[in-house]
Amino acid sequence: MNIYKKNYLILIILLTTSNTYSQYQVWMGTTCTPQNALYKNKTWKNTAKLVEGLNINKTPVKPLKGTPSEGEKSLSLQEFNSVITLFKKGSKNGFVEIARTFFENDAYPNRPDLITLLEKKFKRIDAGGYDVKGIMFFDNYIGSNAKSSKGVVYAWTEAEVQKMRDWLDENRPGTRLYWNARNNSITNRNWCENPLVDDIVMEAKPELWYKNAGSRQTLLKWLWTNPTTVNKRIILQTPVNTMTAPYGNPNGLQQFREFVRWLGVDLMDFEFMRSKRLIIMPVTYNNAFTFYPETINNGKTYANTMTGIALSLIEQRKLFQGIDTKPTKEDAYNISRATSK
């Protein structure tokens, strides 16, 4: 066979075996990760290899009695760092959160200034052995509770964000800034369009999306087509523990999969689902949703867990992107492990 025919055949093989579409990414939140995640790592080994990014947050686990997480204990800092490094891809692509109340403000004037906070935070990151590629910043109440702070919102100023950007450019070049947009307010739209913001996090449980609470549907469609934001990624941070009866029927895994199906079939379209701009990220807060195992029935069924959700969305991307067929609600509720990356 001459060299030209050989190269032609190689090209044909590459074209027929490669994906002709881009893919949403699947990230995970690390809040409420239990101690046993480190010592039972084989129960979520596939997820550890495949998850593409992390919201790195060492919130202690507080399980609810009567759930599969009952009795779980929290990770020490050393154990937490070890768990993060088990995520082969995710540990190289993490982000951390900075609420406005994390540094000096009227309520806590003795807290460190912004630069000192950044220096301390990245010192801990370096000691932990993982990489942070983004910072999510957001306005908040003290404790994220309007009543506890008498309705006072502590808000970032553009000057503060510019100060953070300048420090990152000098000390951590390439680190991206994410704005957490929780509704369709003018403030959120302005931050989403701001050139200091690289990507947008939208945080809500599926029920709020279905009800269009805070006009989230409107905001998402605007972000998707607005000329100022069309190059920014959209990270859907979706808490599992706040879903309706996550251990019921349908369970949390099925409810999450139905939400992802709804995004492509009902709210947006499959162009959206096939875009690298889309990042889907299951998280849990307390009372914590169960972390592992990722599969049951000798690996034949996805488990109703954090890692089960993430793994199913990765292994069945083609299903939710409508590559072979338009996914139905029955497809979303079917938790058999028939992979279709």
Side-chain angles (χ1 to χ4, degrees), residues 21-173:
Y21 60 97
S22 59
Q23 303 184 82
Y24 64 74
Q25 290 192 5
V26 177
W27 295 6
M28 267 187 63
T30 67
T31 52
C32 312
T33 299
Q35 185 183 61
N36 277 331
L38 178 60
Y39 304 108
K40 296 183 179 180
N41 56 81
K42 290 183 179 180
T43 66
W44 59 284
K45 61 181 180 179
N46 294 293
T47 308
K49 289 188 297 184
L50 298 173
V51 161
E52 294 143 308
L54 298 173
N55 177 346
I56 299 175
N57 186 319
K58 189 189 170 297
T59 300
V61 60
K62 295 180 181 178
L64 190 66
K65 289 184 178 180
T67 69
S69 291
E70 183 176 358
E72 293 278 21
K73 297 180 180 179
S74 300
L75 292 156
S76 68
L77 179 58
Q78 183 177 355
E79 290 169 333
F80 177 79
N81 291 338
S82 296
V83 166
I84 297 301
T85 57
L86 290 174
F87 288 91
K88 300 304 180 184
K89 297 178 181 178
S91 62
K92 298 177 176 61
N93 184 33
F95 76 89
V96 294
E97 304 177 2
I98 299 183
R100 179 55 190 86
T101 56
F102 283 13
F103 57 99
E104 59 182 351
N105 55 73
D106 291 341
Y108 297 109
N110 296 323
R111 287 189 171 175
D113 62 26
L114 175 58
I115 299 304
T116 302
L117 175 68
L118 288 168
E119 290 171 344
K120 290 182 177 179
K121 188 172 287 290
F122 277 94
K123 185 177 180 180
R124 289 195 296 270
I125 289 164
D126 291 341
Y130 51 86
D131 293 332
V132 161
K133 300 294 179 65
I135 292 176
M136 181 180 75
F137 68 103
F138 55 97
D139 301 339
N140 68 319
Y141 302 99
I142 298 298
S144 297
N145 185 327
K147 294 181 180 179
S148 67
S149 58
K150 298 181 180 179
V152 177
V153 178
Y154 292 84
W156 285 80
T157 66
E158 187 166 352
E160 290 168 342
V161 179
Q162 183 66 65
K163 187 176 183 180
M164 178 165 60
R165 178 72 272 164
D166 292 343
W167 185 90
L168 290 169
D169 287 343
E170 183 176 349
N171 297 275
R172 299 283 169 161

Side-chain angles (χ1 to χ4, degrees), residues 99-328:
R100 179 55 190 86
T101 56
F102 283 13
F103 57 99
E104 59 182 351
N105 55 73
D106 291 341
Y108 297 109
N110 296 323
R111 287 189 171 175
D113 62 26
L114 175 58
I115 299 304
T116 302
L117 175 68
L118 288 168
E119 290 171 344
K120 290 182 177 179
K121 188 172 287 290
F122 277 94
K123 185 177 180 180
R124 289 195 296 270
I125 289 164
D126 291 341
Y130 51 86
D131 293 332
V132 161
K133 300 294 179 65
I135 292 176
M136 181 180 75
F137 68 103
F138 55 97
D139 301 339
N140 68 319
Y141 302 99
I142 298 298
S144 297
N145 185 327
K147 294 181 180 179
S148 67
S149 58
K150 298 181 180 179
V152 177
V153 178
Y154 292 84
W156 285 80
T157 66
E158 187 166 352
E160 290 168 342
V161 179
Q162 183 66 65
K163 187 176 183 180
M164 178 165 60
R165 178 72 272 164
D166 292 343
W167 185 90
L168 290 169
D169 287 343
E170 183 176 349
N171 297 275
R172 299 283 169 161
T175 304
R176 302 173 73 86
L177 292 179
Y178 310 155
W179 171 250
N180 188 347
R182 296 180 178 178
N183 57 57
N184 191 32
S185 67
I186 294 298
T187 297
N188 278 315
R189 285 201 177 207
N190 288 342
W191 274 122
C192 290
E193 289 190 303
N194 194 302
L196 291 169
V197 171
D198 298 295
D199 302 307
I200 294 99
V201 177
M202 299 186 70
E203 183 176 12
K205 61 183 179 179
E207 287 81 358
L208 295 179
W209 278 101
Y210 301 148
K211 295 176 182 177
N212 199 20
S215 296
R216 286 176 172 84
Q217 295 181 21
T218 307
L219 177 60
L220 178 59
K221 292 178 180 179
W222 176 80
L223 288 170
W224 183 244
T225 58
N226 176 32
T228 312
T229 59
V230 290
N231 293 317
K232 299 185 179 187
R233 296 180 301 179
I234 300 167
I235 304 166
L236 301 183
Q237 181 163 296
T238 310
V240 184
N241 64 307
T242 59
M243 292 179 178
T244 302
Y247 298 108
N249 184 20
N251 61 30
L253 166 66
Q254 292 170 314
Q255 291 180 55
F256 204 110
R257 286 167 57 88
E258 167 55 15
F259 169 62
V260 176
R261 185 205 67 83
W262 173 84
L263 284 172
V265 174
D266 298 310
L267 180 62
M268 303 295 282
D269 54 33
F270 290 123
E271 180 184 352
F272 175 74
M273 300 304 295
R274 297 170 192 174
S275 172
K276 293 180 180 178
R277 286 180 61 198
L278 173 61
I279 297 166
I280 302 170
M281 185 171 67
V283 299
T284 183
Y285 308 123
N286 285 311
N287 296 302
F289 186 68
T290 307
F291 184 87
Y292 57 81
E294 60 192 4
T295 62
I296 55 177
N297 297 330
N298 294 318
K300 296 178 181 178
T301 308
Y302 295 113
N304 184 35
T305 62
M306 289 291 296
T307 49
I309 291 170
L311 184 63
S312 82
L313 297 180
I314 293 170
E315 292 189 336
Q316 297 192 350
R317 263 189 279 233
K318 286 178 67 177
L319 169 67
F320 294 107
Q321 292 175 320
I323 299 300
D324 299 320
T325 185
K326 184 177 179 180
T328 64

